[in-house]
Amino acid sequence: MVMTKIKTIGVLTSGGDAPGMNAAIRAVTRSAIYAGLRVFGIYRGFNGLINGDVKEFTTESVSGIIFAGGTILLSARSKEFLTPEGRAKAYKTIKDNGIDALIIIGGNGSLSGAQALSAEYDIPVIGLPCTIDNDLYGTDNTIGFDTALNTIVECVDKIHDTANSHNRIFFVEVMGRDAGFLAMNSAIAAGAEAAIIPESSTNIDQLAAYIDRGIRKSKRSSIVLVSEKDGGAMHYAERMYKEYPEFDVRVSILGYLQRGGRPSAMDRILASRMGVAAIEALKEGQRNIMIGVVNDQMVNVPIARAVKKDKPINEELINVLSVLSI
Ligand code: F6P
């Protein structure tokens, strides 16, 4: 389908909310209207498509939202949309409202869902990578990652005070689902001793020896950032406590603190650029692609490639953390 046939788009946010989602909704809406398109906001993710929960948007619909966390369109992880019946209902809403293309703002699961719909019903879909996990291949950063990272670092800075005051070892668990981007990057930024991430194996004895060496030298405490996968911080803290009872171990699970809050300037800019690029891509006749930014250049990545869950952790970061935490 080429742009001449696309007159109306639908936009939705799906999956876990992420800071910058609103900035992305604003950018998509305004750039679409700028290009002469009608825009429908679809509420509660794919559930809104299934239930016909849609509303036409104007430029004013997205005023005063660029600085807000969460999503004005609301979000959901729709179980019904995973079924062919659910997707059939979703397609009916698309047809009933004359929607010619969809912009999906979300993470891995959301973009995979969009792809399934597009394959079954021949509806053009453009994805914007929006998740704190940063686990989509084909973009250096996803919208929301930078803000979550900054939130984590702020929390770990505070934990440092207690760790130092009591000579404690802290295992701080962060989100990221199957990926260690939040754990690895926040470990470097917070000056932590180590990061336990799904992308590389962790030997508890080596970790203990390493922490012990640091404390013997001069360190008053140790902080280990732990990705939530594989039992997370509790799992590692319990093992450490059992095998090395001489350490005073504590756990802090940051949880949903990481997902909320005002988006950073970087996330607002990323969301704005990606929203404009999504409409540009539609104009060029692109479909089933995700917008990415690689080396500061806008790129289009096939959604099928983006969602393979194989975005690599930069090995250089692993080295930086280990060099600087001696
Ligand atoms: O994908 C974002 C994320 O916050 C993950 O880091 C986390 O594993 C998951 O969502 C939690 O999902 P829910 O909000 O459904 O509990």
Side-chain angles (χ1 to χ4, degrees):
M1 191 178 290
V2 289
M3 184 60 181
T4 47
K5 287 195 189 158
I6 296 177
K7 297 202 167 57
T8 304
I9 64 156
V11 56
L12 64 81
T13 52
S14 165
D17 63 297
M21 266 187 169
N22 281 325
I25 296 167
R26 173 181 180 269
V28 167
T29 302
R30 294 220 167 147
S31 53
I33 291 171
Y34 182 84
L37 302 176
R38 289 178 76 194
V39 181
F40 280 93
I42 299 156
Y43 288 85
R44 296 180 178 79
F46 291 111
N47 284 342
L49 267 187
I50 291 169
N51 303 321
D53 196 1
V54 305
K55 184 179 143 195
E56 181 150 9
F57 268 19
T58 63
T59 52
E60 288 75 30
S61 309
V62 293
S63 289
I65 65 167
I66 195 168
F67 45 75
T71 160
I72 61 157
L73 282 175
L74 314 180
S75 193
R77 300 192 193 279
S78 174
K79 290 214 169 66
E80 199 178 349
F81 189 73
L82 298 176
T83 66
E85 296 76 25
R87 291 195 291 275
K89 287 188 201 166
Y91 185 64
K92 184 170 181 313
T93 300
I94 290 171
K95 281 284 116 188
D96 288 351
N97 289 279
I99 294 170
D100 304 310
L102 286 177
I103 311 283
I104 309 294
I105 303 168
N108 209 298
S110 308
L111 297 194
S112 303
Q115 206 199 0
L117 183 76
S118 173
E120 279 169 5
Y121 293 102
D122 196 27
I123 172 104
V125 162
I126 308 281
L128 297 198
C130 191
T131 162
I132 65 166
D133 302 338
N134 200 28
D135 59 349
L136 285 157
Y137 182 91
T139 188
D140 290 342
N141 286 331
T142 55
I143 301 163
F145 175 63
D146 181 65
T147 308
L149 199 52
N150 280 291
T151 303
I152 293 168
V153 170
E154 207 181 314
C155 293
V156 177
D157 287 350
K158 291 179 180 166
I159 290 170
H160 246 128
D161 291 344
T162 302
N164 278 340
S165 305
H166 291 267
N167 295 117
R168 282 178 179 162
I169 318 295
F170 265 88
F171 285 82
V172 182
E173 180 177 311
V174 297
M175 285 185 167
R177 204 179 283 276
D178 300 326
F181 296 99
L182 283 173
M184 178 50 66
N185 284 277
S186 57
I188 293 174
E193 271 55 45
I196 297 178
I197 57 170
E199 291 85 349
S200 60
S201 63
T202 300
N203 178 312
I204 201 84
D205 297 320
Q206 273 174 6
L207 183 65
Y210 184 68
I211 288 173
D212 191 47
R213 198 188 59 187
I215 288 174
R216 275 177 211 285
K217 274 168 81 181
S218 66
K219 290 193 180 188
R220 285 189 284 147
S221 64
S222 283
I223 295 201
V224 180
L225 267 293
V226 188
S227 160
E228 66 180 334
K229 212 188 169 207
D230 301 330
M234 283 307 277
H235 169 74
Y236 285 96
E238 268 164 18
R239 282 189 60 191
M240 187 69 95
Y241 180 73
K242 264 193 211 129
E243 292 167 39
Y244 300 91
E246 65 274 24
F247 289 146
D248 190 8
V249 177
R250 291 291 188 280
V251 165
S252 188
I253 298 173
L254 299 188
Y256 293 93
L257 274 176
Q258 297 159 85
R259 272 215 331 232
R262 292 162 70 94
S264 67
M266 293 309 285
D267 274 332
R268 297 181 200 193
I269 294 166
L270 186 63
S272 300
R273 292 176 74 187
M274 286 180 165
V276 171
I279 300 303
E280 291 291 327
L282 269 185
K283 276 198 230 169
E284 288 162 10
Q286 298 274 0
R287 53 193 297 159
N288 297 342
I289 52 116
M290 182 194 84
I291 304 296
V293 176
V294 175
N295 295 331
D296 206 32
Q297 299 300 310
M298 307 309 297
V299 295
N300 297 336
V301 195
I303 291 180
R305 179 67 196 89
V307 298
K308 276 192 175 164
K309 296 193 173 183
D310 60 352
K311 183 176 181 176
I313 288 266
N314 186 344
E315 292 286 326
E316 183 224 328
L317 295 182
I318 299 177
N319 183 49
V320 166
L321 178 62
S322 100
V323 168
L324 299 184
S325 58
I326 52 171

